[in-house]
Amino acid sequence: MKLQKIVSRLQELHPKEIDLSLDRILNLCKKLDNPQDKIKAISVVGTNGKYSTIQAMYAILREAKFNCNIYTSPHIRRINERFIFNNKELNDEELTNLLENVEKANNNEPITFFEILTAAYFYKAADYPENINIIETGLFHRFDATNILNQNLASVVTSIGLDHLDWLPKDEQTIEKIIYEKTSKLLNSNVVVAKQSSNEITEHIKKTIKDNKSKKLFFNQDYSFSGNENNFFYYEDEFGGIKLPMPNVNGQFQLENISTAIATLRVIKEININDEHIKLGITKIESIARLQEITAGKLKDLVKENRLLVDGSHNPLGAKVLNNYLDSLDCKKHIILGMMANKDHQEYMSYFKEIETLTTIDIPNQPNAITGENLKNKLIDLKNVQYKENIFEAIKSIPVKKNDLILITGSLYLAGEVLNLN
């Protein structure tokens, strides 16, 4: 309860109008003795694949006996997930104490919730100067609160697509503008650019970072992987090739994320990992709500023998890779969908082909979500669309047959609620 109280207090400091600048977090970090200057960090920017790439790096580093601090957002089930230090999530008491210290330093000044959480992360991370920090950047990188580092070990650019467009002026809601915001202020160290959804996007990234002095690695040019046969896939870069076991996570896109994670760790001189660390690490990735299979719990009891997956994808790029995975399966697929109001709902669903039924639901505890009823009405052109109030009713109403699969998707907030309910 104490943690919930301080979280609510910090949320009330949010400015009425946010100007996109780094002044608030820089002022707060100055009061905290600039902890961001005392850490070793890998920064991860992009639209999709950030979390999965981070979890792959983290799994490999743990296998190599590195201590890591990890900062990701948003959280799925509880806020503590955003704060990992020395390979462990902070417990309620530790997180409460940390936030109280930073709240005191902030002295009631207006600040966004994400900025104060980010300052708290840096403040605690400075206690572990030898640890590897893996830091996920928020919406856009240029004015993101995490972008106050003066140096890092590497910047990873995951797949970039159209999302969070409501943060940009109407005439600037373009992929070129998003690429500029995410990559124009990358630090000089190593830049690893993951597979993009088109050559045009890769070329735009190249153009934007052409004056960056970093060593640059591009997927398919400097590192790559090739198909899976007999439960193995092959990874290759300038340091040579490795035959790798299939990871413990679902989807072809995860092989892309894992390859980017490997390329990043192998190019950083300060990190010494070997093939064994990689082989073992990628079979122990802890991934929440990214094609996560629910194998036990209240919801699994309802579907019995059928597969039940939950995925937090919420933009067209996410829908595209999700459909690629579904396409690879020889079974009938049913989707349960809940989304936030500011997403392009029709565009999201347009990527899914051959879906047997679609059930829209409300996302509990999210005032900014579109109601399941309204979502259903927007998707009325699709076949077999129905609305149910909650996840239990939705699952019970789906006419599944043997081998059918149910996928819950459309929002990380929905994924979090579903996992908590389960």
Side-chain angles (χ1 to χ4, degrees):
M1 283 308 290
K2 205 174 169 195
L3 176 57
Q4 195 44 59
K5 272 186 187 155
I6 190 167
V7 164
S8 301
R9 272 204 315 274
L10 295 177
Q11 284 170 327
E12 282 163 18
L13 295 170
H14 210 75
K16 293 286 173 279
E17 294 232 339
I18 303 172
D19 60 312
L20 285 180
S21 86
L22 298 172
D23 297 344
R24 289 178 298 269
I25 185 156
L26 284 168
N27 289 337
L28 176 52
C29 282
K30 196 173 175 186
K31 293 175 188 171
L32 297 167
D33 196 24
N34 289 319
Q36 74 277 12
D37 295 340
K38 301 168 185 174
I39 65 172
K40 296 194 275 199
I42 299 169
S43 309
V44 184
V45 313
T47 305
N48 281 42
K50 289 183 289 185
Y51 176 88
S52 296
T53 306
I54 287 169
Q55 293 306 323
M57 282 194 273
Y58 182 30
I60 295 165
L61 287 167
R62 279 201 313 266
E63 205 52 52
K65 301 289 184 279
F66 279 93
N67 282 329
C68 298
N69 308 328
I70 314 280
Y71 185 57
T72 55
S73 65
H75 55 276
I76 309 292
R77 289 173 304 201
R78 47 197 231 122
I79 194 167
N80 312 54
E81 291 164 21
R82 300 178 185 227
F83 295 92
I84 289 173
F85 296 98
N86 255 358
N87 300 356
K88 281 206 292 286
E89 199 177 276
L90 287 189
N91 64 34
D92 285 5
E93 189 184 344
E94 291 165 332
L95 184 50
T96 301
N97 292 339
L98 172 62
L99 294 178
E100 278 176 346
N101 287 336
V102 177
E103 180 187 35
K104 197 170 163 188
N106 186 59
N107 198 22
N108 264 343
E109 292 290 325
I111 192 161
T112 72
F113 187 52
F114 184 68
E115 286 165 349
I116 206 159
L117 293 184
T118 305
Y121 173 82
F122 285 136
Y123 184 51
K124 181 76 175 168
D127 290 345
Y128 307 99
E130 292 311 306
N131 284 16
I132 305 291
N133 290 265
I134 311 179
I135 297 171
E136 178 181 354
T137 288
L139 293 181
F140 299 119
H141 177 251
R142 192 159 65 107
F143 292 116
D144 187 78
T146 60
N147 187 26
I148 57 168
L149 297 168
N150 290 312
Q151 55 176 16
N152 69 5
L153 299 170
S155 299
V156 182
V157 182
T158 66
S159 183
I160 295 181
L162 295 169
D163 200 7
H164 304 296
L165 295 180
D166 45 333
W167 281 84
L168 294 172
K170 270 275 181 277
D171 59 340
E172 293 185 358
Q173 295 182 354
T174 64
I175 193 72
E176 292 81 2
K177 175 66 173 167
I178 290 175
I179 289 167
Y180 176 77
E181 290 295 330
K182 287 184 184 285
T183 64
S184 63
K185 286 284 181 242
L186 297 178
L187 294 166
N188 291 324
S189 56
N190 297 290
V191 174
V192 182
V193 179
K195 183 183 179 185
Q196 301 298 319
S197 59
S198 73
N199 289 336
E200 288 77 15
I201 290 178
T202 306
E203 289 309 312
H204 274 299
I205 295 170
K206 282 182 179 174
K207 205 163 96 185
T208 310
I209 65 172
K210 72 178 191 306
D211 296 330
N212 187 305
K213 302 285 189 289
S214 297
K215 174 168 182 166
K216 298 170 191 135
L217 303 183
F218 289 88
F219 180 82
N220 257 358
Q221 193 177 304
D222 305 291
Y223 72 97
S224 62
F225 73 90
S226 56
N228 53 60
E229 47 193 80
N230 304 330
N231 243 10
F232 285 95
F233 73 106
Y234 293 85
Y235 169 86
E236 201 162 353
D237 63 18
E238 63 178 310
F239 304 107
I242 325 175
K243 183 183 179 185
L244 293 169
M246 291 302 281
N248 64 318
V249 284
N250 294 313
Q252 171 83 1
F253 66 94
Q254 291 289 18
L255 299 185
E256 295 163 14
N257 296 331
I258 287 164
S259 296
T260 300
I262 296 168
T264 306
L265 296 180
R266 279 172 46 123
V267 82
I268 297 171
K269 291 187 173 71
E270 296 87 337
I271 293 176
N272 189 14
I273 55 157
N274 63 35
D275 294 2
E276 283 309 303
H277 300 142
I278 296 168
K279 286 175 187 173
L280 289 168
I282 66 171
T283 63
K284 299 177 185 176
I285 298 170
E286 292 167 13
S287 192
I288 306 173
R290 272 67 177 187
L291 270 181
Q292 180 180 351
E293 183 153 4
I294 296 179
T295 53
K298 290 179 191 170
L299 299 178
K300 177 60 181 171
D301 291 346
L302 292 178
V303 302
K304 299 186 173 65
E305 296 305 305
N306 294 88
R307 286 183 77 196
L308 179 64
L309 297 175
V310 61
D311 190 279
S313 297
H314 48 270
N315 55 41
L317 205 49
K320 190 178 174 185
V321 297
L322 209 44
N323 183 66
N324 289 344
Y325 173 69
L326 294 180
D327 254 4
S328 71
L329 305 175
D330 184 18
C331 66
K332 288 185 172 159
K333 297 102 184 173
H334 306 265
I335 287 182
I336 297 174
L337 184 73
M339 297 189 79
M340 301 308 280
N342 63 349
K343 301 296 174 189
D344 190 333
H345 311 108
Q346 279 114 330
E347 166 85 349
Y348 182 80
M349 277 310 298
S350 72
Y351 285 88
F352 293 99
K353 312 295 178 210
E354 307 299 319
I355 298 303
E356 205 64 17
T357 66
L358 174 65
T359 307
T360 63
I361 60 170
D362 302 321
I363 303 181
N365 310 314
Q366 286 300 330
N368 296 329
I370 183 172
T371 66
E373 193 86 74
N374 287 345
L375 186 54
K376 176 197 161 191
N377 293 335
K378 286 186 85 170
L379 302 171
I380 209 79
D381 293 345
L382 300 175
K383 62 171 193 175
N384 299 336
V385 185
Q386 60 168 357
Y387 159 69
K388 292 291 171 192
E389 210 168 298
N390 62 57
I391 192 69
F392 293 100
E393 294 306 314
I395 289 174
K396 283 192 272 194
S397 72
I398 296 171
V400 286
K401 296 190 171 70
K402 195 179 174 189
N403 295 329
D404 287 11
L405 171 144
I406 297 175
L407 169 69
I408 304 162
T409 188
S411 165
L412 281 168
Y413 298 105
L414 174 63
E417 291 291 341
V418 162
L419 291 170
N420 284 335
L421 281 170
N422 188 57

